[in-house]
Amino acid sequence: GLNILTNDKSGLLKIVDFPRGTQARQVAQSKQLDPDIFKGSTIVGVNGRKYGIDDQPILFAALKDPARPKAIMFRLASQDNLQRLDLSSSKATTKCTNGSKVENENSTSIVKTVDIVDKVEIGIKFAKTQDGYAYAVSGFLRDSSGEVLAAEKNGEV
């Protein structure tokens, strides 16, 4: 559950908070995010569909729809919250099975940044996300002889 402000002067749906004991709070905490980061955020999408200022009644109906699960997209309220979110993850180094090293962020981060520090064929196939704003891993590739490449061997992608 979410506590939503429906009468904000902007006309947009805003988050008041994620109440204790709700699935929203539990999901945020399971991703090692402080649920308070979302206070004042604007709800901009549900299940891959974005909604504009003129679509707020439709957005509200999408939130009320009993179908589960829901993927809700937020625009955080302040730069401070964005910075706190970025600080919530720490750098780590992963060693691939072929001996190469990959620096990446903690796997609990919303976005995983990977720096490939050695020349190696990683073998990752990407696809656009449903909303078209990012790429996601959609599979693994093999080399010309059919050998499994670094990303699939590593098992952390």
Side-chain angles (χ1 to χ4, degrees):
L2 307 169
N3 283 333
I4 301 172
L5 179 64
T6 57
N7 63 347
D8 185 71
K9 63 183 176 184
S10 69
L12 300 170
L13 297 179
K14 304 278 187 161
I15 296 297
V16 175
D17 70 350
F18 293 178
R20 294 192 191 289
T22 63
Q23 184 179 15
R25 182 173 274 277
Q26 291 169 355
V27 168
Q29 290 172 332
S30 75
K31 301 296 182 188
Q32 296 183 342
L33 298 172
D34 178 0
D36 290 340
I37 286 175
F38 296 94
K39 285 183 179 179
S41 294
T42 304
I43 300 174
V44 296
V46 176
N47 293 337
R49 179 171 177 209
K50 291 191 172 198
Y51 297 87
I53 186 70
D54 296 330
D55 300 322
Q56 295 303 290
I58 300 167
L59 169 59
F60 192 66
L63 290 167
K64 287 176 59 175
D65 185 329
R68 297 289 186 266
K70 288 207 183 337
I72 301 174
M73 184 182 294
F74 303 95
R75 181 181 313 116
L76 294 180
S78 72
Q79 191 63 31
D80 288 343
N81 285 348
L82 287 170
Q83 289 170 347
R84 284 175 54 202
L85 190 60
D86 286 342
L87 294 174
S88 71
S89 60
S90 60
K91 285 276 189 173
T93 301
T94 302
K95 189 171 184 176
C96 295
T97 55
N98 67 356
S100 65
K101 291 181 183 176
V102 176
E103 290 183 20
N104 58 35
E105 294 191 11
N106 187 329
S107 62
T108 59
S109 176
I110 292 174
V111 176
K112 185 177 237 181
T113 301
V114 177
D115 298 318
I116 301 170
V117 294
D118 292 336
K119 273 191 168 182
V120 60
E121 289 187 50
I122 57 174
I124 297 177
K125 182 178 179 181
F126 292 97
K128 281 187 178 179
T129 56
Q130 191 174 17
D131 64 7
Y133 280 86
Y135 287 101
V137 174
S138 65
F140 297 104
L141 303 172
R142 305 238 170 162
D143 70 9
S144 59
S145 65
E147 288 291 315
V148 174
L149 296 173
E152 189 173 3
K153 282 181 188 175
N154 182 286
E156 292 189 22
V157 176

